Amino acid sequence: MGLGGSEPSTSLRISPLVEWLLARSLGGKRVVPGLAGQLAVWGLAIVSLYVVVAGLTPLLWLLGLLSDANGGLESPIYAQPSLAHWCGTDRLGRDVCSRTLAGSGVALQVVALALVLALVIGVPLGMLSGYLGGWLDRGLVLVMDTLYTLPVLLLSVVLAFLLGKGLPNAAAALCVVYVPQYFRVVRNQTAQVKAELFVEAARSLGAGPFWILRRYLFRSVITTVPVLLSLNAADAVLVLGGLGFLGLGLPESIPEWGSDLQQALGAVPTGIWWTALYPGLAMFGLVLGLSFLGEGLESWLSGASRGGDGPLDGP
């Protein structure tokens, strides 16, 4: 290249559709293709792909284009990937591709339900504790700090063992793990914001605690929750897989990546690699997408708090 030539650009070209979806999900901000912006866009694209796959899999079953995830009596066991079975079959003759695709919907359902429950419980408790203080604050902080100090997987295993197998039970086991995190973040934010002048002015005008919490504090303390939500979702996928690997997550009739990996573990030394490869790649891809999305959102919020120099700038 000549001296007057320009260096080739290595920045990511963002699809207009992906840019519009990301901007709509983040309050109309414009996407700037920096490193953090690339992470956010790639994360949103990967997670959106999993959502589409989860929605299309039941339709493909109904149309007969995809074999049943639990059906396999007519198929040979441990069949290698072929045109009949793109990802091969497992020890029971079940189609690995079908079970892997179905596992994406199961993982998204459990994780979404667990995090919604954690938000519904942790955010209001954190706001009440941070604003009211006193004995309520001390009691809640003691309980949440106790739960927070316990290892995530260990606490999930104990709760899953006590609650038993099932989709709601697995979601409840994950929910209890993440409630303290939302509580701590929201409580600290509330304790800081309640000393602001606009809160004092509202209190002097006769506004009650619940009106102030709903009208003024909620918008101020909720800004950091999306970052924690996406990062917790990535962690929850791994925890759910760990529960399934230990046999404590979901019933065997429900396709789940961790359970499939546990069943494939004994066949890997014999050269049967496909029963473990595809569920493992599916779990890795979803965790990677959620992590990218969380890191991009965190960089955007950090840049916005410094004056708008994040990956997403206003119009």
Side-chain angles (χ1 to χ4, degrees), residues 41-248:
V41 171
W42 277 110
L44 180 64
I46 294 173
V47 175
S48 299
L49 177 62
Y50 274 84
V51 173
V52 171
V53 169
L56 290 180
T57 300
L59 180 61
L60 295 177
W61 288 342
L62 293 177
L63 296 178
L65 301 177
L66 194 65
S67 59
D68 186 15
N70 290 316
L73 296 179
E74 70 282 357
S75 302
I77 62 173
Y78 290 135
Q80 295 186 5
S82 61
L83 292 178
H85 302 282
W86 291 355
C87 301
T89 61
D90 61 5
R91 65 175 185 174
L92 298 179
R94 300 173 299 189
D95 188 78
V96 175
C97 180
S98 179
R99 291 187 62 83
T100 302
L101 294 178
S104 62
V106 173
L108 290 174
Q109 290 179 47
V110 175
V111 170
L113 180 58
L115 295 183
V116 167
L117 291 175
L119 280 173
V120 172
I121 298 173
V123 172
L125 289 180
M127 293 180 65
L128 288 173
S129 179
Y131 183 78
L132 298 178
W135 62 268
L136 177 64
D137 179 49
R138 291 191 295 270
L140 288 175
V141 168
L142 177 62
V143 173
M144 295 300 174
D145 284 350
T146 302
L147 293 175
Y148 187 76
T149 56
L150 298 176
V152 172
L153 184 59
L154 177 60
L155 181 59
S156 300
V157 167
V158 173
L159 293 174
F161 178 78
L162 295 176
L163 296 175
K165 294 183 178 181
L167 195 149
N169 296 344
L174 294 177
C175 165
V176 176
V177 170
Y178 298 110
V179 166
Q181 299 187 27
Y182 295 106
F183 171 84
R184 289 163 60 92
V185 170
V186 172
R187 176 193 173 273
N188 293 336
Q189 290 285 338
T190 304
Q192 295 176 3
V193 175
K194 76 174 184 179
E196 297 291 338
L197 291 177
F198 67 92
V199 178
E200 295 291 340
R203 190 182 298 115
S204 63
L205 292 175
F210 292 102
W211 172 262
I212 294 176
L213 287 172
R214 181 173 59 89
R215 181 64 177 83
Y216 298 105
L217 293 181
F218 180 76
R219 296 180 182 179
S220 300
V221 304
I222 204 66
T223 54
T224 57
V225 169
V227 176
L228 187 60
L229 183 67
S230 56
L231 295 177
N232 280 347
D235 184 67
V237 173
L238 293 176
V239 175
L240 178 63
L243 293 178
F245 190 85
L246 296 174
L248 297 173

